[in-house]
Amino acid sequence: MSAPRGRAVPTGRAASPAAALLRVSRRRPAPADGERCEMCAAPIGEEHQHVVNLESRSLMCGCRACYLLFTEEGAELRYRAVPDRYLAFDGLPLDARTWDELQIPVGLAFVFRNSVQDRTIAFYPGPAGATESELPLDAWATVVAANPGLAVLRPDVEALLVRRTEAGGGGGREVVASCHLVPIDACYELVGRLRALWRGFDGGQEAHAAMEDFFDHVRARSRPADPAGTDGLAAVNDGTTADSTCAAGGSV
């Protein structure tokens, strides 16, 4: 791709992300084996960062330079960088009645805010991938009002990963709920992993083992969330994603 003739390409700190990408792409390297940035085609390692296309909801693999173009908070851009923040919301009161009001038919879902459609959406994994369940606005507003810490969720690039399991034996039914804020690409990865391993009605042993491994990783990465909802967000992460498995290519 080359710049149109007769038009100057902005340079310096004031240049827009689109202009910066145009300059980079003018000398786009020839295709080669291995992972490459989907914006400038520069080689990238197996561990790399992602940006979200807000319109198509797809993930794109990015080099560090391209990733940094889309980290500015509040900027009106087509793409948005996926941060590397993990938070744990301990003691989230999410009983069976509240869960039923959210109209999520299974015990695992990730919830995120779609800024283009201006609505909160829940997806839950299964044999066909991610299934959408649009949250009733009143029910979700009630949950957030009771747990103001959940308001730190960044639209489009972060999700609340909620899991409800039954513990104990006999006739008792103790429901244990966990909630973590995770990067949206981690949810894509979980969906892809479960889809590949899913067997039978409930997923099978391999899918359940993969789910346990995934949540062990999330718990290890997470720090406690501020109940008041004042958790800050670092501008960018350290240059790598937490997982070597690339989650790009999927969309929700």
Side-chain angles (χ1 to χ4, degrees):
M1 180 186 298
S2 60
R5 294 182 180 179
R7 297 180 61 185
V9 178
T11 59
R13 297 183 62 184
S16 69
L21 282 176
L22 180 60
R23 295 198 308 274
V24 171
S25 64
R26 294 178 68 178
R27 289 187 290 271
R28 179 175 295 203
D33 294 336
E35 296 266 20
R36 285 191 172 269
C37 174
E38 295 184 60
M39 294 184 167
C40 71
I44 54 178
E46 187 178 5
E47 295 186 352
H48 53 263
Q49 294 150 314
H50 297 107
V51 298
V52 174
N53 183 321
L54 301 186
E55 295 179 2
S56 67
R57 295 301 317 161
S58 60
L59 280 179
M60 301 177 65
C61 301
C63 66
R64 180 67 171 173
C66 290
Y67 172 87
L68 291 175
L69 295 173
F70 304 103
T71 56
E72 183 178 351
E73 287 290 319
E76 295 185 6
L77 303 172
R78 179 180 178 182
Y79 304 99
R80 195 159 292 168
V82 179
D84 191 28
R85 181 168 66 157
Y86 288 78
L87 300 176
F89 294 89
D90 295 327
L92 184 70
L94 201 59
D95 56 22
R97 178 180 178 182
T98 303
W99 190 259
D100 290 341
E101 290 176 349
L102 294 176
Q103 299 179 18
I104 300 175
V106 297
L108 172 64
F110 61 94
V111 179
F112 73 95
R113 182 72 182 172
N114 186 316
S115 65
V116 175
Q117 299 180 9
D118 192 26
R119 63 190 180 115
T120 300
I121 304 172
F123 282 87
Y124 53 91
T131 301
E132 178 180 340
S133 175
E134 184 173 355
L135 295 180
L137 295 180
D138 291 343
W140 181 245
T142 300
V143 172
V144 175
N147 305 275
L150 300 179
V152 301
L153 180 71
R154 286 189 68 198
D156 304 302
V157 294
E158 292 182 327
L160 294 174
L161 187 62
V162 185
R163 187 185 188 192
R164 295 180 72 253
T165 56
E166 293 186 15
R173 185 187 177 215
E174 181 183 357
V175 177
V176 179
S178 67
C179 180
H180 294 83
L181 183 149
V182 301
I184 192 70
D185 53 5
C187 298
Y188 283 66
E189 181 192 347
L190 175 61
V191 168
R193 189 182 302 181
L194 293 181
R195 181 178 182 179
L197 298 174
W198 198 280
R199 298 293 183 272
F201 179 76
D202 66 349
Q205 185 174 353
E206 284 187 275
H208 283 276
M211 191 183 306
E212 292 300 331
D213 289 343
F214 179 84
F215 275 92
D216 286 344
H217 169 77
V218 168
R219 284 189 289 267
R221 291 293 311 276
S222 299
R223 60 182 175 84
D226 186 340
T230 58
D231 286 279
L233 178 66
V236 294
N237 61 26
D238 62 2
T240 61
T241 51
D243 298 297
S244 59
T245 303
C246 181
S251 61
V252 292

